[in-house]
Coordinates of all heavy atoms in Angstrom, one line a residue:
M19 N -42.6 -62.1 -97.0 CA -43.0 -60.9 -96.1 C -43.6 -59.9 -97.0 O -43.3 -59.6 -98.1 CB -41.7 -60.4 -95.4 CG -42.0 -59.3 -94.4 SD -42.7 -60.1 -93.0 CE -42.9 -58.6 -92.0
I20 N -44.6 -59.2 -96.4 CA -45.4 -58.2 -97.1 C -44.6 -56.9 -97.0 O -44.1 -56.5 -95.9 CB -46.8 -58.0 -96.5 CG1 -47.5 -59.4 -96.6 CG2 -47.5 -56.9 -97.1 CD1 -48.9 -59.4 -95.9
S21 N -44.5 -56.2 -98.1 CA -43.7 -54.9 -98.1 C -44.4 -53.8 -97.3 O -45.6 -53.8 -97.2 CB -43.5 -54.5 -99.6 OG -44.7 -53.9 -100.1
P22 N -43.6 -53.0 -96.7 CA -44.1 -51.9 -95.9 C -45.0 -50.9 -96.7 O -45.9 -50.4 -96.2 CB -42.9 -51.2 -95.3 CG -41.8 -52.2 -95.4 CD -42.1 -53.1 -96.5
E23 N -44.6 -50.7 -98.0 CA -45.4 -49.9 -98.8 C -46.8 -50.4 -99.1 O -47.8 -49.6 -99.0 CB -44.7 -49.7 -100.2 CG -43.4 -49.0 -100.1 CD -42.2 -49.9 -99.8 OE1 -42.3 -51.1 -99.9 OE2 -41.1 -49.4 -99.4
F24 N -46.9 -51.7 -99.3 CA -48.2 -52.3 -99.5 C -49.0 -52.2 -98.2 O -50.2 -51.9 -98.3 CB -48.0 -53.8 -99.8 CG -49.3 -54.5 -100.0 CD1 -50.1 -54.3 -101.1 CD2 -49.8 -55.4 -99.0 CE1 -51.3 -55.0 -101.2 CE2 -51.0 -56.0 -99.1 CZ -51.8 -55.8 -100.2
L25 N -48.4 -52.5 -97.0 CA -49.2 -52.3 -95.8 C -49.6 -50.9 -95.5 O -50.8 -50.7 -95.1 CB -48.3 -52.8 -94.6 CG -48.0 -54.3 -94.5 CD1 -47.1 -54.6 -93.4 CD2 -49.3 -55.1 -94.4
S26 N -48.8 -50.0 -95.9 CA -49.2 -48.6 -95.7 C -50.4 -48.2 -96.6 O -51.3 -47.5 -96.2 CB -48.0 -47.7 -96.1 OG -48.4 -46.3 -96.0
A27 N -50.3 -48.7 -97.9 CA -51.4 -48.5 -98.8 C -52.7 -49.1 -98.3 O -53.8 -48.5 -98.4 CB -51.1 -49.0 -100.2
V28 N -52.6 -50.3 -97.8 CA -53.8 -51.0 -97.3 C -54.4 -50.3 -96.1 O -55.6 -50.1 -96.0 CB -53.5 -52.5 -96.9 CG1 -54.6 -53.1 -96.2 CG2 -53.2 -53.3 -98.2
K29 N -53.5 -49.8 -95.2 CA -53.9 -49.1 -94.0 C -54.7 -47.8 -94.4 O -55.7 -47.5 -93.9 CB -52.7 -48.8 -93.1 CG -53.1 -48.0 -91.9 CD -51.8 -47.8 -91.0 CE -52.1 -46.9 -89.8 NZ -50.9 -46.6 -89.1
T30 N -54.1 -47.1 -95.3 CA -54.7 -45.8 -95.8 C -56.1 -46.1 -96.4 O -57.0 -45.4 -96.1 CB -53.8 -45.1 -96.8 OG1 -52.5 -44.8 -96.2 CG2 -54.4 -43.8 -97.3
T31 N -56.1 -47.1 -97.3 CA -57.4 -47.5 -97.9 C -58.4 -47.9 -96.9 O -59.6 -47.5 -97.0 CB -57.2 -48.6 -98.9 OG1 -56.2 -48.2 -99.9 CG2 -58.4 -49.0 -99.7
A32 N -58.0 -48.6 -95.9 CA -59.0 -49.1 -94.9 C -59.5 -47.9 -94.0 O -60.7 -47.9 -93.7 CB -58.3 -50.1 -93.9
I33 N -58.6 -47.0 -93.7 CA -59.1 -45.8 -93.0 C -60.1 -45.0 -93.8 O -61.1 -44.5 -93.2 CB -57.9 -44.9 -92.5 CG1 -57.1 -45.7 -91.5 CG2 -58.3 -43.6 -92.0 CD1 -55.7 -45.1 -91.2
I34 N -59.8 -44.8 -95.1 CA -60.7 -44.0 -95.9 C -62.0 -44.8 -96.0 O -63.1 -44.2 -95.9 CB -60.1 -43.8 -97.3 CG1 -58.9 -42.8 -97.2 CG2 -61.1 -43.3 -98.3 CD1 -58.0 -42.7 -98.4
W35 N -62.0 -46.1 -96.2 CA -63.2 -46.9 -96.4 C -64.1 -46.8 -95.1 O -65.3 -46.6 -95.2 CB -62.8 -48.3 -96.7 CG -64.0 -49.3 -96.8 CD1 -64.4 -50.1 -95.8 CD2 -64.8 -49.5 -97.9 NE1 -65.5 -50.8 -96.3 CE2 -65.8 -50.4 -97.6 CE3 -64.8 -49.0 -99.2 CZ2 -66.7 -50.9 -98.5 CZ3 -65.8 -49.4 -100.1 CH2 -66.7 -50.3 -99.7
V36 N -63.5 -47.0 -94.0 CA -64.2 -47.0 -92.7 C -64.8 -45.6 -92.4 O -65.9 -45.5 -92.0 CB -63.4 -47.6 -91.6 CG1 -64.1 -47.4 -90.2 CG2 -63.1 -49.1 -91.8
S37 N -64.0 -44.6 -92.7 CA -64.5 -43.2 -92.5 C -65.7 -42.9 -93.4 O -66.7 -42.4 -93.0 CB -63.4 -42.2 -92.9 OG -62.3 -42.4 -92.0
F38 N -65.6 -43.3 -94.7 CA -66.7 -43.1 -95.6 C -68.0 -43.9 -95.2 O -69.1 -43.3 -95.1 CB -66.3 -43.6 -97.0 CG -67.5 -43.6 -98.0 CD1 -68.0 -42.4 -98.5 CD2 -68.1 -44.8 -98.4 CE1 -69.0 -42.4 -99.4 CE2 -69.1 -44.8 -99.2 CZ -69.6 -43.6 -99.8
L39 N -67.8 -45.1 -94.8 CA -68.9 -46.0 -94.4 C -69.5 -45.5 -93.1 O -70.7 -45.6 -92.8 CB -68.5 -47.4 -94.2 CG -68.9 -48.3 -95.4 CD1 -70.4 -48.4 -95.7 CD2 -68.2 -48.0 -96.7
S40 N -68.7 -44.9 -92.2 CA -69.2 -44.4 -90.9 C -70.1 -43.1 -91.2 O -71.1 -43.0 -90.6 CB -68.0 -44.0 -90.0 OG -67.3 -45.2 -89.6
V41 N -69.6 -42.3 -92.1 CA -70.4 -41.1 -92.4 C -71.7 -41.5 -93.1 O -72.8 -41.0 -92.7 CB -69.6 -40.1 -93.3 CG1 -70.5 -39.0 -93.8 CG2 -68.4 -39.5 -92.5
L42 N -71.6 -42.4 -94.0 CA -72.8 -43.0 -94.7 C -73.8 -43.6 -93.7 O -75.0 -43.4 -93.8 CB -72.4 -44.0 -95.8 CG -73.6 -44.6 -96.5 CD1 -74.3 -43.6 -97.3 CD2 -73.1 -45.7 -97.4
S43 N -73.3 -44.3 -92.7 CA -74.1 -45.0 -91.7 C -74.8 -44.0 -90.9 O -76.0 -44.1 -90.6 CB -73.3 -45.9 -90.8 OG -72.8 -47.0 -91.6
V44 N -74.2 -42.9 -90.5 CA -74.8 -41.8 -89.7 C -75.9 -41.2 -90.5 O -77.0 -40.9 -90.1 CB -73.7 -40.8 -89.2 CG1 -74.4 -39.6 -88.6 CG2 -72.8 -41.4 -88.2
I45 N -75.6 -40.9 -91.8 CA -76.6 -40.2 -92.7 C -77.8 -41.1 -92.8 O -78.9 -40.6 -92.7 CB -76.0 -39.9 -94.0 CG1 -74.9 -38.7 -93.9 CG2 -77.0 -39.5 -95.1 CD1 -74.1 -38.5 -95.1
L46 N -77.6 -42.4 -93.1 CA -78.7 -43.3 -93.3 C -79.6 -43.4 -92.0 O -80.8 -43.4 -92.1 CB -78.2 -44.7 -93.7 CG -77.7 -44.9 -95.1 CD1 -77.0 -46.3 -95.2 CD2 -78.7 -44.7 -96.1
T47 N -78.9 -43.5 -90.9 CA -79.6 -43.6 -89.6 C -80.4 -42.3 -89.3 O -81.6 -42.4 -88.9 CB -78.6 -43.9 -88.4 OG1 -77.9 -45.0 -88.7 CG2 -79.4 -44.1 -87.1
V48 N -79.8 -41.2 -89.5 CA -80.5 -39.9 -89.3 C -81.7 -39.8 -90.3 O -82.8 -39.4 -89.9 CB -79.6 -38.7 -89.4 CG1 -80.3 -37.4 -89.5 CG2 -78.5 -38.7 -88.3
C49 N -81.5 -40.1 -91.5 CA -82.6 -40.0 -92.5 C -83.7 -41.0 -92.1 O -84.9 -40.6 -92.2 CB -82.1 -40.4 -93.9 SG -81.1 -39.1 -94.7
D50 N -83.4 -42.2 -91.7 CA -84.5 -43.1 -91.2 C -85.2 -42.6 -90.0 O -86.4 -42.7 -89.9 CB -83.9 -44.5 -91.0 CG -85.0 -45.5 -90.8 OD1 -85.9 -45.6 -91.6 OD2 -84.9 -46.3 -89.8
K51 N -84.5 -42.0 -89.1 CA -85.1 -41.4 -87.9 C -86.1 -40.3 -88.3 O -87.2 -40.2 -87.8 CB -84.0 -40.9 -86.9 CG -84.6 -40.2 -85.7 CD -85.3 -41.0 -84.8 CE -85.7 -40.3 -83.5 NZ -86.3 -41.1 -82.5
L52 N -85.6 -39.4 -89.1 CA -86.4 -38.3 -89.6 C -87.7 -38.8 -90.3 O -88.8 -38.2 -90.1 CB -85.6 -37.3 -90.4 CG -84.5 -36.6 -89.7 CD1 -83.7 -35.7 -90.7 CD2 -85.0 -35.7 -88.5
S53 N -87.5 -39.8 -91.2 CA -88.6 -40.3 -91.9 C -89.6 -41.0 -91.0 O -90.9 -40.9 -91.2 CB -88.2 -41.4 -92.9 OG -87.4 -40.8 -93.9
S54 N -89.1 -41.6 -89.9 CA -90.0 -42.3 -89.0 C -90.8 -41.3 -88.2 O -92.0 -41.5 -87.8 CB -89.3 -43.2 -88.0 OG -88.5 -42.5 -87.1
K55 N -90.3 -40.1 -87.9 CA -91.0 -39.1 -87.1 C -92.1 -38.4 -88.0 O -93.1 -38.1 -87.5 CB -90.0 -38.0 -86.6 CG -89.2 -38.4 -85.5 CD -88.3 -37.3 -85.0 CE -88.5 -37.1 -83.5 NZ -87.8 -36.0 -83.0
K56 N -91.8 -38.3 -89.3 CA -92.8 -37.6 -90.2 C -93.9 -38.6 -90.5 O -94.9 -38.1 -91.0 CB -92.1 -37.1 -91.4 CG -91.1 -36.0 -91.2 CD -90.5 -35.6 -92.5 CE -89.5 -34.5 -92.3 NZ -88.8 -34.1 -93.5
R57 N -93.7 -39.8 -90.4 CA -94.6 -40.9 -90.7 C -95.0 -40.8 -92.2 O -96.1 -41.3 -92.6 CB -95.9 -40.7 -89.9 CG -95.7 -40.8 -88.4 CD -96.3 -42.1 -87.9 NE -96.2 -42.0 -86.4 CZ -95.6 -43.0 -85.8 NH1 -95.2 -44.1 -86.4 NH2 -95.6 -43.0 -84.5
R58 N -94.1 -40.3 -93.0 CA -94.4 -40.3 -94.4 C -93.0 -40.3 -95.1 O -92.0 -40.2 -94.5 CB -95.1 -39.1 -94.9 CG -94.4 -37.8 -94.6 CD -95.2 -36.6 -95.1 NE -94.3 -35.5 -94.6 CZ -94.8 -34.3 -94.4 NH1 -96.0 -34.0 -94.6 NH2 -94.0 -33.3 -94.0
G59 N -93.0 -40.5 -96.4 CA -91.7 -40.6 -97.1 C -91.1 -42.0 -97.0 O -91.6 -42.9 -96.2
A60 N -90.1 -42.2 -97.8 CA -89.5 -43.5 -97.8 C -88.6 -43.7 -96.7 O -87.7 -42.9 -96.4 CB -88.7 -43.7 -99.1
R61 N -88.8 -44.8 -96.0 CA -87.9 -45.2 -94.9 C -86.7 -45.9 -95.5 O -86.7 -46.5 -96.6 CB -88.6 -46.2 -93.9 CG -89.8 -45.6 -93.2 CD -89.4 -44.7 -92.0 NE -88.5 -45.3 -91.1 CZ -88.9 -45.9 -90.0 NH1 -90.2 -46.0 -89.7 NH2 -88.0 -46.4 -89.1
V62 N -85.6 -45.9 -94.7 CA -84.4 -46.6 -95.1 C -84.6 -48.1 -94.8 O -84.9 -48.4 -93.6 CB -83.1 -46.1 -94.4 CG1 -81.9 -46.9 -94.8 CG2 -82.9 -44.6 -94.8
P63 N -84.5 -49.0 -95.7 CA -84.7 -50.4 -95.4 C -83.7 -50.9 -94.4 O -82.5 -50.5 -94.4 CB -84.5 -51.2 -96.7 CG -84.7 -50.1 -97.8 CD -84.2 -48.8 -97.1
E64 N -84.2 -51.8 -93.5 CA -83.3 -52.4 -92.5 C -82.1 -53.1 -93.1 O -81.0 -53.1 -92.6 CB -84.0 -53.3 -91.5 CG -84.9 -52.6 -90.6 CD -85.6 -53.5 -89.6 OE1 -85.3 -54.7 -89.6 OE2 -86.4 -52.9 -88.7
A65 N -82.3 -53.7 -94.3 CA -81.2 -54.4 -95.0 C -80.1 -53.4 -95.4 O -78.9 -53.8 -95.3 CB -81.8 -55.1 -96.2
A66 N -80.5 -52.2 -95.8 CA -79.5 -51.2 -96.1 C -78.7 -50.7 -94.9 O -77.5 -50.5 -95.0 CB -80.2 -50.0 -96.8
L67 N -79.4 -50.6 -93.8 CA -78.7 -50.2 -92.5 C -77.7 -51.3 -92.1 O -76.6 -51.0 -91.8 CB -79.7 -50.0 -91.4 CG -80.7 -48.8 -91.6 CD1 -81.8 -48.8 -90.5 CD2 -79.9 -47.5 -91.6
F68 N -78.1 -52.6 -92.2 CA -77.2 -53.6 -91.8 C -76.1 -53.8 -92.8 O -74.9 -54.1 -92.4 CB -78.0 -55.0 -91.7 CG -78.5 -55.2 -90.3 CD1 -79.9 -55.2 -90.1 CD2 -77.7 -55.3 -89.2 CE1 -80.4 -55.4 -88.8 CE2 -78.2 -55.5 -87.9 CZ -79.6 -55.6 -87.7
L69 N -76.3 -53.6 -94.1 CA -75.3 -53.6 -95.1 C -74.2 -52.6 -94.8 O -73.0 -52.9 -94.8 CB -75.8 -53.5 -96.5 CG -74.8 -53.5 -97.6 CD1 -74.1 -54.9 -97.6 CD2 -75.5 -53.2 -99.0
A70 N -74.6 -51.3 -94.5 CA -73.7 -50.3 -94.2 C -72.9 -50.6 -92.9 O -71.7 -50.4 -92.9 CB -74.4 -48.9 -94.0
A71 N -73.6 -51.2 -92.0 CA -72.9 -51.6 -90.7 C -71.8 -52.7 -91.0 O -70.7 -52.6 -90.5 CB -73.9 -52.1 -89.7
V72 N -72.2 -53.7 -91.7 CA -71.3 -54.9 -92.0 C -70.1 -54.4 -92.8 O -69.0 -54.9 -92.6 CB -72.1 -56.0 -92.7 CG1 -71.1 -57.0 -93.3 CG2 -73.0 -56.7 -91.8
L73 N -70.3 -53.5 -93.7 CA -69.2 -53.0 -94.6 C -68.3 -52.1 -93.9 O -67.3 -51.7 -94.5 CB -69.8 -52.3 -95.9 CG -70.5 -53.2 -96.8 CD1 -71.1 -52.5 -98.0 CD2 -69.6 -54.3 -97.3
G74 N -68.6 -51.7 -92.7 CA -67.6 -50.9 -91.9 C -68.2 -49.7 -91.1 O -67.4 -49.1 -90.4
G75 N -69.5 -49.5 -91.1 CA -70.0 -48.4 -90.4 C -70.8 -48.8 -89.1 O -71.5 -48.0 -88.6
S76 N -70.5 -49.9 -88.6 CA -71.2 -50.5 -87.4 C -71.1 -49.6 -86.2 O -72.1 -49.3 -85.5 CB -70.9 -51.9 -87.1 OG -69.5 -52.0 -86.9
A77 N -69.9 -49.2 -85.8 CA -69.7 -48.4 -84.6 C -70.4 -47.1 -84.7 O -71.1 -46.7 -83.7 CB -68.2 -48.3 -84.3
A78 N -70.2 -46.4 -85.8 CA -70.9 -45.1 -86.0 C -72.4 -45.2 -86.0 O -73.1 -44.4 -85.3 CB -70.4 -44.4 -87.3
M79 N -72.9 -46.3 -86.6 CA -74.4 -46.5 -86.6 C -74.9 -46.8 -85.2 O -75.9 -46.2 -84.8 CB -74.7 -47.6 -87.5 CG -76.2 -47.8 -87.7 SD -76.6 -49.1 -88.8 CE -76.2 -48.3 -90.4
Y80 N -74.2 -47.6 -84.5 CA -74.6 -48.0 -83.1 C -74.6 -46.7 -82.2 O -75.6 -46.5 -81.5 CB -73.7 -49.0 -82.6 CG -74.1 -49.6 -81.2 CD1 -75.3 -50.3 -81.1 CD2 -73.4 -49.4 -80.1 CE1 -75.7 -50.8 -79.9 CE2 -73.8 -49.9 -78.9 CZ -74.9 -50.6 -78.8 OH -75.4 -51.2 -77.6
I81 N -73.6 -45.9 -82.3 CA -73.5 -44.7 -81.4 C -74.6 -43.8 -81.8 O -75.3 -43.2 -81.0 CB -72.1 -44.0 -81.6 CG1 -71.1 -44.9 -80.9 CG2 -72.1 -42.6 -81.0 CD1 -69.7 -44.5 -81.2
T82 N -74.8 -43.6 -83.1 CA -75.9 -42.7 -83.6 C -77.3 -43.2 -83.2 O -78.1 -42.3 -82.7 CB -75.9 -42.6 -85.2 OG1 -74.6 -42.2 -85.6 CG2 -76.9 -41.6 -85.7
M83 N -77.5 -44.5 -83.2 CA -78.8 -45.0 -82.8 C -79.0 -44.8 -81.3 O -80.1 -44.4 -80.9 CB -78.9 -46.5 -83.1 CG -79.2 -46.7 -84.6 SD -79.4 -48.5 -84.9 CE -79.9 -48.4 -86.7
L84 N -78.0 -44.9 -80.5 CA -78.1 -44.7 -79.1 C -78.4 -43.2 -78.8 O -79.2 -42.8 -78.0 CB -76.9 -45.2 -78.3 CG -76.7 -46.7 -78.3 CD1 -75.4 -47.0 -77.6 CD2 -77.8 -47.4 -77.6
V85 N -77.6 -42.3 -79.4 CA -77.7 -40.9 -79.2 C -79.1 -40.4 -79.6 O -79.7 -39.6 -78.9 CB -76.6 -40.1 -79.9 CG1 -76.9 -38.6 -79.9 CG2 -75.3 -40.4 -79.3
M86 N -79.6 -40.9 -80.8 CA -80.9 -40.4 -81.3 C -82.1 -41.2 -80.8 O -83.2 -40.9 -81.1 CB -80.9 -40.5 -82.8 CG -79.9 -39.5 -83.5 SD -80.1 -39.5 -85.2 CE -81.6 -38.6 -85.4
R87 N -81.8 -42.2 -80.0 CA -82.8 -43.1 -79.5 C -83.6 -43.7 -80.7 O -84.9 -43.7 -80.7 CB -83.7 -42.5 -78.5 CG -83.0 -42.1 -77.3 CD -83.9 -41.5 -76.3 NE -83.1 -40.8 -75.2 CZ -83.6 -39.8 -74.5 NH1 -84.7 -39.3 -74.8 NH2 -82.8 -39.3 -73.6
H88 N -82.9 -44.2 -81.7 CA -83.6 -44.7 -82.9 C -83.3 -46.2 -82.9 O -82.2 -46.7 -82.9 CB -83.0 -44.1 -84.1 CG -83.7 -44.5 -85.4 ND1 -85.0 -44.4 -85.6 CD2 -83.2 -45.0 -86.5 CE1 -85.4 -44.9 -86.8 NE2 -84.3 -45.3 -87.4
K89 N -84.4 -47.0 -83.0 CA -84.4 -48.4 -83.1 C -83.8 -49.1 -81.8 O -83.3 -50.2 -81.9 CB -83.7 -48.9 -84.3 CG -84.4 -48.5 -85.6 CD -83.9 -49.4 -86.8 CE -84.6 -49.0 -88.0 NZ -86.0 -49.5 -88.2
T90 N -83.8 -48.4 -80.7 CA -83.2 -48.9 -79.5 C -84.1 -50.0 -78.9 O -83.7 -50.8 -78.0 CB -83.0 -47.8 -78.4 OG1 -84.2 -47.1 -78.2 CG2 -81.9 -46.9 -78.9
N91 N -85.4 -50.1 -79.3 CA -86.2 -51.2 -78.9 C -86.2 -52.4 -79.8 O -86.9 -53.4 -79.5 CB -87.7 -50.7 -78.8 CG -87.9 -49.7 -77.6 OD1 -87.2 -49.8 -76.6 ND2 -88.7 -48.7 -77.8
H92 N -85.4 -52.3 -80.8 CA -85.3 -53.4 -81.8 C -84.1 -54.3 -81.4 O -83.0 -53.9 -81.6 CB -85.1 -52.9 -83.2 CG -86.4 -52.2 -83.8 ND1 -86.7 -50.9 -83.4 CD2 -87.3 -52.6 -84.7 CE1 -87.8 -50.6 -84.0 NE2 -88.2 -51.6 -84.8
K93 N -84.4 -55.5 -80.9 CA -83.3 -56.3 -80.5 C -82.4 -56.7 -81.6 O -81.2 -56.8 -81.4 CB -83.9 -57.6 -79.9 CG -84.5 -57.4 -78.5 CD -85.0 -58.7 -78.0 CE -85.7 -58.5 -76.6 NZ -86.2 -59.7 -76.0
R94 N -82.9 -56.7 -82.8 CA -82.1 -57.0 -84.0 C -81.0 -56.1 -84.1 O -79.8 -56.4 -84.5 CB -83.0 -57.0 -85.2 CG -82.3 -57.3 -86.5 CD -83.2 -57.2 -87.7 NE -84.4 -58.0 -87.5 CZ -85.4 -58.0 -88.3 NH1 -85.5 -57.2 -89.3 NH2 -86.5 -58.8 -88.1
F95 N -81.2 -54.8 -83.8 CA -80.1 -53.8 -83.9 C -79.3 -53.7 -82.7 O -78.1 -53.6 -82.7 CB -80.7 -52.4 -84.3 CG -81.1 -52.3 -85.7 CD1 -82.4 -52.6 -86.1 CD2 -80.2 -52.0 -86.7 CE1 -82.8 -52.5 -87.4 CE2 -80.5 -51.9 -88.0 CZ -81.9 -52.1 -88.4
M96 N -80.0 -53.7 -81.5 CA -79.2 -53.5 -80.3 C -78.4 -54.7 -79.9 O -77.4 -54.6 -79.1 CB -80.2 -53.2 -79.1 CG -80.9 -51.9 -79.3 SD -79.7 -50.5 -79.3 CE -79.6 -50.0 -81.0
I97 N -78.6 -55.9 -80.5 CA -77.8 -57.1 -80.3 C -76.9 -57.3 -81.6 O -75.7 -57.5 -81.5 CB -78.6 -58.3 -80.0 CG1 -79.3 -58.2 -78.7 CG2 -77.7 -59.6 -80.0 CD1 -80.3 -59.3 -78.4
G98 N -77.5 -57.1 -82.7 CA -76.8 -57.3 -84.0 C -75.6 -56.4 -84.2 O -74.6 -56.9 -84.6
L99 N -75.8 -55.1 -83.9 CA -74.7 -54.2 -84.2 C -73.5 -54.5 -83.3 O -72.4 -54.5 -83.8 CB -75.2 -52.7 -84.1 CG -76.1 -52.3 -85.2 CD1 -76.6 -50.8 -85.0 CD2 -75.4 -52.4 -86.5
P100 N -73.7 -54.7 -82.0 CA -72.5 -55.0 -81.2 C -71.8 -56.3 -81.6 O -70.6 -56.5 -81.6 CB -73.1 -55.2 -79.7 CG -74.2 -54.3 -79.7 CD -74.8 -54.4 -81.1
V101 N -72.6 -57.3 -82.1 CA -72.0 -58.6 -82.6 C -71.2 -58.3 -83.8 O -70.1 -58.8 -84.0 CB -73.1 -59.6 -82.9 CG1 -72.6 -60.8 -83.7 CG2 -73.8 -60.1 -81.6
I102 N -71.7 -57.4 -84.7 CA -70.9 -57.0 -85.9 C -69.6 -56.3 -85.5 O -68.6 -56.6 -86.1 CB -71.8 -56.1 -86.8 CG1 -72.9 -57.0 -87.4 CG2 -70.9 -55.5 -88.0 CD1 -74.0 -56.1 -88.2
I103 N -69.7 -55.4 -84.5 CA -68.6 -54.7 -84.1 C -67.5 -55.6 -83.5 O -66.3 -55.5 -83.8 CB -69.0 -53.6 -83.0 CG1 -69.8 -52.5 -83.6 CG2 -67.7 -53.0 -82.3 CD1 -70.5 -51.6 -82.6
V104 N -67.9 -56.6 -82.7 CA -67.0 -57.6 -82.1 C -66.3 -58.4 -83.3 O -65.1 -58.7 -83.3 CB -67.7 -58.4 -81.1 CG1 -66.8 -59.6 -80.7 CG2 -68.0 -57.6 -79.9
A105 N -67.1 -58.8 -84.2 CA -66.6 -59.6 -85.3 C -65.6 -58.8 -86.1 O -64.5 -59.3 -86.5 CB -67.8 -60.1 -86.2
Q106 N -65.9 -57.5 -86.4 CA -65.0 -56.7 -87.1 C -63.7 -56.5 -86.4 O -62.6 -56.4 -86.9 CB -65.7 -55.3 -87.5 CG -66.7 -55.5 -88.5 CD -67.6 -54.2 -88.7 OE1 -67.6 -53.3 -87.9 NE2 -68.2 -54.1 -89.9
Y107 N -63.8 -56.3 -85.1 CA -62.6 -56.1 -84.2 C -61.8 -57.4 -84.3 O -60.6 -57.3 -84.4 CB -63.0 -55.8 -82.8 CG -61.9 -55.7 -81.9 CD1 -61.1 -54.5 -81.9 CD2 -61.5 -56.7 -81.0 CE1 -60.0 -54.4 -81.0 CE2 -60.4 -56.6 -80.1 CZ -59.7 -55.4 -80.2 OH -58.6 -55.3 -79.3
G108 N -62.4 -58.6 -84.2 CA -61.7 -59.8 -84.3 C -61.0 -60.0 -85.6 O -59.8 -60.4 -85.7
I109 N -61.6 -59.6 -86.7 CA -61.0 -59.7 -88.1 C -59.8 -58.7 -88.1 O -58.8 -59.0 -88.6 CB -62.0 -59.3 -89.2 CG1 -63.1 -60.5 -89.2 CG2 -61.4 -59.1 -90.5 CD1 -64.3 -60.1 -90.1
L110 N -60.0 -57.5 -87.6 CA -58.9 -56.5 -87.5 C -57.7 -57.1 -86.8 O -56.6 -57.0 -87.2 CB -59.4 -55.2 -86.9 CG -58.4 -54.1 -86.7 CD1 -57.9 -53.6 -88.1 CD2 -59.0 -53.0 -85.9
M111 N -58.0 -57.6 -85.6 CA -56.9 -58.2 -84.8 C -56.2 -59.3 -85.5 O -54.9 -59.4 -85.5 CB -57.4 -58.6 -83.4 CG -57.8 -57.5 -82.5 SD -56.5 -56.4 -82.1 CE -56.9 -55.0 -83.1
Y112 N -56.9 -60.1 -86.2 CA -56.3 -61.2 -86.9 C -55.4 -60.7 -88.1 O -54.3 -61.2 -88.3 CB -57.4 -62.1 -87.5 CG -56.9 -63.2 -88.4 CD1 -56.3 -64.4 -87.8 CD2 -56.9 -63.1 -89.8 CE1 -55.8 -65.4 -88.6 CE2 -56.4 -64.1 -90.6 CZ -55.8 -65.2 -90.0 OH -55.3 -66.2 -90.8
C113 N -55.9 -59.7 -88.8 CA -55.2 -59.1 -89.9 C -53.9 -58.4 -89.4 O -52.8 -58.5 -90.0 CB -56.0 -58.1 -90.6 SG -57.3 -58.9 -91.6
I114 N -54.0 -57.7 -88.2 CA -52.8 -57.1 -87.7 C -51.8 -58.1 -87.3 O -50.6 -58.0 -87.6 CB -53.2 -56.2 -86.5 CG1 -53.9 -55.0 -87.0 CG2 -52.0 -55.8 -85.7 CD1 -54.5 -54.1 -85.9
R115 N -52.2 -59.2 -86.7 CA -51.3 -60.3 -86.2 C -50.7 -61.0 -87.4 O -49.5 -61.3 -87.5 CB -52.0 -61.3 -85.4 CG -51.1 -62.3 -84.8 CD -51.8 -63.2 -83.8 NE -50.8 -64.1 -83.3 CZ -51.0 -65.0 -82.4 NH1 -52.2 -65.0 -81.8 NH2 -50.1 -65.8 -82.0
F116 N -51.5 -61.2 -88.5 CA -51.1 -61.9 -89.7 C -50.1 -61.0 -90.4 O -49.0 -61.5 -90.9 CB -52.2 -62.2 -90.6 CG -51.9 -62.9 -91.9 CD1 -51.4 -64.2 -91.9 CD2 -51.9 -62.1 -93.1 CE1 -51.0 -64.7 -93.1 CE2 -51.6 -62.7 -94.3 CZ -51.1 -64.0 -94.3
A117 N -50.3 -59.7 -90.5 CA -49.5 -58.8 -91.3 C -48.2 -58.5 -90.5 O -47.2 -58.2 -91.1 CB -50.2 -57.5 -91.6
G118 N -48.2 -58.6 -89.2 CA -47.1 -58.3 -88.4 C -46.1 -59.4 -88.3 O -45.0 -59.5 -88.3

């Protein structure tokens, strides 16, 4: 059986990780949106956006894109991000059940 102290440490680390990645995802999305409006400057690569999403910022990125109307015509994002969110939720539920 896994010790309660270990589970608590993992939970705290996961919350900090997802919080950090969520903030980073919002910043990346806003920066990309601003760069696209100016039509100059370096855009954020799509690979970087997807990496931030896969690592834990998918929900924050999806909400930010909808609110800012950024990349909403790109099927890759409007389908890909919800798929990532569902996959992350499935992994979370599996981990909760396994740890419990």
Side-chain angles (χ1 to χ4, degrees):
M19 185 73 181
I20 300 173
S21 72
E23 295 84 16
F24 177 76
L25 288 176
S26 178
V28 169
K29 181 180 175 183
T30 302
T31 303
I33 290 170
I34 292 169
W35 178 263
V36 170
S37 299
F38 171 76
L39 262 297
S40 294
V41 171
L42 179 64
S43 294
V44 169
I45 291 169
L46 289 173
T47 304
V48 170
C49 287
D50 190 51
K51 173 68 173 185
L52 295 175
S53 294
S54 73
K55 285 184 127 182
K56 292 180 182 178
R57 302 247 186 236
R58 62 179 178 205
R61 296 284 304 267
V62 177
E64 288 186 0
L67 293 171
F68 273 113
L69 180 62
V72 167
L73 292 177
S76 56
M79 183 178 289
Y80 186 66
I81 292 167
T82 304
M83 285 183 172
L84 291 177
V85 169
M86 295 189 71
R87 295 183 192 150
H88 183 56
K89 296 200 181 278
T90 54
N91 291 328
H92 292 76
K93 289 182 182 179
R94 181 181 306 172
F95 283 95
M96 293 298 104
I97 295 172
L99 289 176
V101 168
I102 293 169
I103 292 169
V104 169
Q106 289 171 339
Y107 179 77
I109 292 168
L110 176 65
M111 291 298 105
Y112 176 80
C113 290
I114 289 172
R115 184 171 181 176
F116 177 72

